[in-house]
Amino acid sequence: MIIFASETFCIMKKIVLFLLMSALVVSPAFAREKEKAPKNEKVKNVILLIGDGMGLAHVATWMISQDYGPTAFDRAQFVGVSKTYSANNRVTDSAASATTMATGHKTNNGMLGMLPDGTEPENIGELARAKGIPMGLIATSYVLDATPGAFYAHAANRGHFKDIMEDLIALKPAVLVGGGRRYFTDEKYTGGENMIDKAVQAGFTYCETPEQFYETEATPILGLFSEGSYPMVIERDSDFLADALNHTLDIFGKSKKGFFIMAEGSHIDHAAHANNAEQMVFEMEEFDKAVNAAFDYADTHKGTLVIVTADHETGGVTLLSGDRDYTKGESGINVTYSTNGHSGSPVLIYSYGASAWKFGRVMENTAIFDQIKELLF
Ligand SMILES: [Zn+2]
């Protein structure tokens, strides 16, 4: 599929120009950002942004769609590489990878907060609760999905929604918002119990729309904004993730003990599973806004570390010249997929703010947790 087919020549001429200019302009700007990065500032707040399925080519497609920028990713102070393979496969799923980032242990694909031998390693939610540090989780899919789930739940399988809901009600993350209302009310998942009522009885403030969420600071907050997954950007505006992050930052900004937030651009993965480059760009636009919001917060709040990464690559995306003979002039870019599933490519880690330098290296995805634990807990 060739994207940016209209005015291709014009756009590509601009890109070539940009490339020529970037050699002169981008490098010194990057050096300045890196120098600005605080080296020994104590980490008080951690914002972890996960682009589900977001490989380097997804970021590059986003950059090309913006005529090479500047995007939020261009602001990163350090860039590292995360090796994402799981305990039982070189290609991970979201459950195994999120478990690793939330607990520091690799596990089998499909398992959530649980190791192959059935043990339940301590997760970031439990560490935060023990220290009285508020945790916020935001997903553009649904709140029980594997990526947010790994931060508060232990289940033998990511599809064991009742177990995951019981764990979330017991752990009480300060903020948990996204879609997925039907899992809390449909007896297929609940066994007949209304899990929203149960959450409210346990002390949660329940919100049914983003607007209700933006008007409350009464934690713990459970926001279920749609029956299934929250819609993809193609059906709404692209501000939700940044808005939800900014409101969570407003609430947590009053915490003397700091905070931990994980916000996920969940549908980047789904667009790539569908091999849909146009949707992928829309989802990247939303994620980019959230990354900018997090970096802006770090600029104005000392002790804030922002880590932007992915759980795995989806789609096996490669970027080919529109005309297969790239020795000729520009003829657009061809976003090409090699699979409807995930791939084993490592993913990048973009970091910013306090101790960001610690993520500027090649690392196992287990080390993302290890560093967060060492710095925050
Ligand atoms: Zn996926």
Side-chain angles (χ1 to χ4, degrees):
M1 175 189 185
I2 297 174
I3 60 163
F4 326 128
S6 59
E7 296 174 82
T8 292
F9 178 70
C10 197
I11 289 168
M12 288 308 155
K13 219 163 124 184
K14 260 190 261 169
I15 289 173
V16 172
L17 263 177
F18 248 97
L19 282 173
L20 291 171
M21 282 160 59
S22 63
L24 300 168
V25 178
V26 175
S27 305
F30 179 73
R32 263 201 312 279
E33 284 296 343
K34 207 164 168 174
E35 267 165 34
K36 248 177 30 192
K39 285 196 180 58
N40 299 311
E41 206 172 276
K42 196 178 159 10
V43 173
K44 196 178 156 218
N45 312 315
V46 172
I47 305 171
L48 172 62
L49 298 172
I50 299 177
D52 200 302
M54 183 186 73
L56 173 58
H58 302 60
V59 178
T61 304
W62 166 240
M63 287 174 166
I64 291 169
S65 78
Q66 301 303 298
D67 280 3
Y68 282 104
T71 71
F73 296 88
D74 294 285
R75 292 175 65 187
Q77 290 165 335
F78 294 89
V79 177
V81 175
S82 169
K83 295 194 263 182
T84 62
Y85 64 93
S86 69
N88 71 335
N89 203 305
R90 284 161 213 258
V91 178
T92 188
D93 81 327
S94 292
S97 188
T99 297
T100 306
M101 287 188 271
T103 73
H105 296 269
K106 294 206 186 241
T107 193
N108 290 348
N109 289 351
M111 298 186 87
L112 192 70
M114 195 179 279
L115 305 187
D117 66 1
T119 55
E120 299 180 353
E122 200 169 30
N123 58 39
I124 283 183
E126 288 153 348
L127 285 166
R129 180 176 59 184
K131 294 267 178 169
I133 295 173
M135 174 172 80
L137 303 171
I138 305 161
T140 58
S141 57
Y142 55 101
V143 300
L144 308 178
D145 205 358
T147 305
F151 289 83
Y152 62 77
H154 304 280
N157 188 283
R158 60 188 288 176
H160 294 176
F161 294 122
K162 185 72 190 286
D163 294 347
I164 298 168
M165 284 186 279
E166 297 284 6
D167 283 356
L168 102 77
I169 291 169
L171 185 84
K172 289 195 189 68
V175 170
L176 177 60
V177 297
R181 203 180 301 134
R182 72 186 160 99
Y183 299 105
F184 291 73
T185 54
D186 185 333
E187 65 178 47
K188 196 163 98 192
Y189 307 109
T190 64
E193 228 178 331
N194 185 317
M195 299 303 281
I196 294 176
D197 289 348
K198 192 168 177 176
V200 171
Q201 277 156 22
F204 277 94
T205 303
Y206 172 61
C207 304
E208 214 159 76
T209 64
E211 291 68 34
Q212 283 173 7
F213 169 52
Y214 302 146
E215 269 163 30
T216 184
E217 298 202 351
T219 59
I221 298 167
L222 174 63
L224 302 174
F225 305 146
S226 55
E227 284 298 311
S229 264
Y230 199 63
M232 295 180 82
V233 170
I234 204 148
E235 295 172 41
R236 56 178 171 87
D237 66 35
S238 60
D239 296 330
F240 169 69
L241 196 59
D243 286 351
L245 173 62
N246 279 328
H247 184 57
T248 307
L249 289 168
D250 281 347
I251 300 171
F252 289 0
K254 296 169 183 95
S255 165
K256 288 202 169 59
K257 291 188 167 175
F259 58 77
F260 173 82
I261 297 173
M262 190 290 297
E264 184 198 26
S266 322
H267 294 307
I268 297 167
D269 179 59
H270 304 142
H273 275 288
N275 290 185
N276 188 324
E278 192 192 5
Q279 280 186 1
M280 198 170 88
V281 167
F282 282 130
E283 296 301 325
M284 286 301 299
E285 178 185 343
E286 172 172 61
F287 192 68
D288 186 89
K289 286 181 182 178
V291 173
N292 265 326
F295 288 176
D296 288 348
Y297 189 87
D299 278 342
T300 49
H301 295 78
K302 239 179 127 175
T304 300
L305 164 67
V306 184
I307 307 151
V308 183
T309 190
D311 46 359
H312 54 77
E313 197 272 354
T314 303
V317 181
T318 47
L319 303 179
L320 307 178
S321 172
D323 182 337
R324 280 168 190 270
D325 182 358
Y326 59 83
T327 62
K328 292 180 184 159
E330 281 282 12
S331 50
I333 200 88
N334 191 350
V335 180
T336 309
Y337 298 86
S338 58
T339 175
N340 288 105
H342 300 174
S343 81
S345 287
V347 294
L348 296 190
I349 309 165
Y350 307 81
S351 55
Y352 195 93
S355 288
W357 63 273
K358 295 199 170 186
F359 294 84
R361 61 188 172 89
V362 180
M363 60 209 282
E364 294 287 342
N365 56 358
T366 51
I368 295 172
F369 169 87
D370 295 340
Q371 287 292 358
I372 292 173
K373 185 178 177 189
E374 185 189 305
L375 293 166
L376 189 63
F377 300 117

